[in-house]
Structures are given as structure tokens and as C-alpha cells.
Amino acid sequence: MRHNFVADALAVHLKKVGTVLSNTDGKRKEKKTGVDKDRPGDVVVTWSTASGPETFFIDITVSHMHICNSIDDYRTNHIEKAVANKRKKYYGKLDHRVVPFGMTSSGELSTDTWALIDELATRLQAINNQKNNKRVIMRSLSCALQKGNAIMLCAH
């Protein structure tokens, strides 16, 4: 559920600076059963660079911290490890670049995620000439994450 909201919130901003090829179609395996389910896909984007158009795949991970992995050393590296696993998963398998977009359910972001948000904010500033783009992006991602957390909490 959180994944859906974060993917949609991110796609809204990406559509302003590039072409979003996919953000809600496709099937993904359910972790518990290994069965394909209708779950939202991740985001594929094409935008212009100095050397021509660049297409890349943004694989979104929203990881939940629980009591078993709340040890300080593990907690600080938790999302970075999740992102590293995503990088290994796709290494050499896709024709285009993969950007792991990792965040925890409490809002911590990976370094790759911060880099993508910085790039996106810079591209938005070139279009709308506003300096608060990073804040706007973070606010929408935060709201999407909180909405997903609330729905998941109410479901239990």
C-alpha cells in the first residue's frame, strides 16, 4: 500500500520533467507466496540529457523497521542494505540504468534516493524557476508515506 502511494507521488513530479513510461502497470511477485499479483510496478522514466535522452528504471523500496532489527548498527544501514540488494538484483539484466529508491516507513532515505531527489529538484527549478522544489517533493513523498502507513495501521 505504501509503495503505491510513493510511486504515484514520485510519478507526479517526474512527469513534469520527463516521460513516465510506467508507474502502475505490471505484475510483481508477492513475497510470502511467490505468486504474481496485480501490484503496482515501479517507475520507468525518460528525460533529456546533454548526450541525448536517458531512460532509467526507478525501483521503489519502502522498508518497515521492526523490533527485531532496531539495533542501532543495523538500523542506520538498513535502507542502504535494501538498496544494495536492489542493485545486485538488476545488475546486468536491464538495458538501462537502475535507480534504487529506498525509504523506510519512518521516512529515512537512502543516498541514491537523495541524489535522485536533488536531480529532480534541479530539473524542476529549470522549468518553474522556483527554489523550493526539493521541499515540495519531500512533502508529497512524506504525505504519501504517511497515508500508506495510516491505512496499513488501520488494516491490522
Side-chain angles (χ1 to χ4, degrees):
M1 185 60 67
R2 291 180 295 239
H3 182 281
N4 309 18
F5 293 125
V6 170
D8 289 341
L10 185 61
V12 165
H13 298 291
L14 289 166
K15 286 177 184 176
K16 296 173 186 173
V17 297
T19 305
V20 176
L21 304 176
S22 168
N23 75 315
T24 55
D25 56 350
K27 291 183 181 279
R28 292 175 39 214
K29 288 200 183 294
E30 191 173 59
K31 285 184 181 179
K32 291 179 184 176
T33 63
V35 176
D36 283 342
K37 294 276 185 172
D38 284 322
R39 295 173 59 200
D42 293 292
V43 182
V44 179
V45 177
T46 299
W47 63 26
S48 298
T49 63
S51 59
E54 177 190 23
T55 299
F56 56 98
F57 173 69
I58 302 172
D59 189 348
I60 299 169
T61 300
V62 180
S63 177
H64 178 67
M65 296 293 295
H66 50 79
I67 195 69
C68 298
N69 60 20
S70 63
I71 302 163
D72 282 343
D73 179 46
Y74 185 82
R75 188 173 58 81
T76 56
N77 297 317
H78 178 73
I79 197 63
E80 295 297 337
K81 288 179 183 177
V83 165
N85 288 339
K86 291 289 185 177
R87 209 176 277 115
K88 286 181 203 171
K89 176 181 175 181
Y90 294 108
Y91 182 76
K93 293 182 182 176
L94 296 176
D95 296 337
H96 42 269
R97 184 170 65 115
V98 174
V99 178
F101 187 94
M103 63 191 314
T104 64
S105 59
S106 62
E108 296 174 58
L109 302 174
S110 71
T111 52
D112 288 330
T113 302
W114 278 116
L116 178 66
I117 290 171
D118 285 341
E119 172 74 14
L120 181 56
T122 302
R123 287 175 176 271
L124 284 169
Q125 185 173 350
I127 293 170
N128 64 18
N129 206 21
Q130 294 178 359
K131 296 185 182 204
N132 67 342
N133 290 309
K134 189 187 288 189
R135 191 175 326 139
V136 171
I137 295 167
M138 288 305 302
R139 189 178 306 133
S140 67
L141 290 173
S142 176
C143 288
L145 183 63
Q146 290 174 34
K147 182 177 178 181
N149 284 342
I151 290 171
M152 291 187 74
L153 184 65
C154 290
H156 289 285

